[in-house]
Amino acid sequence: MLRGLAIGLMAALICAAAVGAAVLFQNRLPSAVRMFGNGYPLSVALSLVIALVVVVAMGRPRGLVLPVVAALYAGGAVAAGQIAGSSIMWSATSRGQGAPLEPADITLDALSGGLPQALSLYRAGLTESWPAWLSIAVAALAALLLLALRVARVRRAETAAEEQEAPEYRAPFEPAQRPAESSPGDLFTPRKPARD
């Protein structure tokens, strides 16, 4: 269980970095892709991929706690990635940089410089509208359901394996079927009748 938690956390951090990169470099995508459905299909698809990565990283869990933790990891990865990407973008726009961002612009100073503004914008978006919750909820629910199904399948397989009894031990020359036991019958009937 501890191994699944650690690997799931690493996967969530990698996914958060990927979401941050997607926020930063979304302007490089064609506008038809970005604006299709107001951008909801793209964010939902990214959330589903994050949930799948977190679930696969968690391994073959047996406990019912891990699906809840996976949901927290996936939802937290989406939120952290959006906040990190927005804070770096805010820091770049406050410096007056109008050109598209480059990977060299991603620094800890840029992250910490725009973090308060990004947090306030993100918090305002969460309290005012549902689209801000959409990608977080999709990632969390998908991770919860996928890992719960996996836990149920693992538990079902373990139960089926336990129900199969071990084969009964037989001595080397013992017959495969036990002889039928005859009833003792009545006291006055002979046990082995005489043959004529």
Side-chain angles (χ1 to χ4, degrees):
M1 181 168 153
L2 188 60
R3 182 174 179 241
L5 289 173
I7 294 174
L9 180 62
M10 288 190 300
L13 292 175
I14 291 169
C15 289
V19 170
V23 168
L24 287 174
F25 302 120
Q26 66 184 344
N27 291 334
R28 295 185 180 194
L29 290 173
S31 62
V33 173
R34 277 185 293 137
M35 296 303 170
F36 176 72
N38 289 332
Y40 299 138
L42 189 61
S43 65
V44 166
L46 185 61
S47 298
L48 289 174
V49 168
I50 288 170
L52 188 63
V53 167
V54 169
V55 166
V56 168
M58 296 290 262
R60 290 178 46 101
R62 291 174 189 82
L64 293 175
V65 174
L66 287 180
V68 176
V69 173
L72 292 174
Y73 281 171
V78 171
Q82 288 176 348
I83 290 171
S86 299
S87 64
I88 293 172
M89 190 179 291
W90 181 271
S91 178
T93 55
S94 66
R95 287 188 311 232
Q97 185 177 355
L101 291 173
E102 297 296 325
D105 296 328
I106 302 172
T107 61
L108 286 176
D109 293 334
L111 178 67
S112 62
L115 192 60
Q117 291 83 8
L119 282 174
S120 65
L121 285 174
Y122 199 73
R123 191 176 310 123
L126 288 176
T127 57
E128 293 174 4
S129 65
W130 63 269
W133 287 100
L134 180 65
S135 56
I136 296 171
V138 166
L141 278 172
L144 178 75
L145 292 176
L146 287 173
L147 204 58
L149 289 173
R150 183 179 252 185
V151 166
R153 191 179 66 203
V154 167
R155 284 186 166 197
R156 197 175 314 123
E158 286 177 353
T159 305
E162 289 173 2
E163 287 177 357
Q164 290 179 351
E165 296 179 14
E168 185 179 334
Y169 174 75
R170 290 185 292 128
F173 295 106
E174 187 176 338
Q177 294 180 346
R178 292 185 180 174
E181 293 184 19
S182 59
S183 62
D186 193 10
L187 288 177
F188 299 107
T189 56
R191 293 194 181 197
K192 291 184 181 177
R195 295 183 186 172
D196 291 329

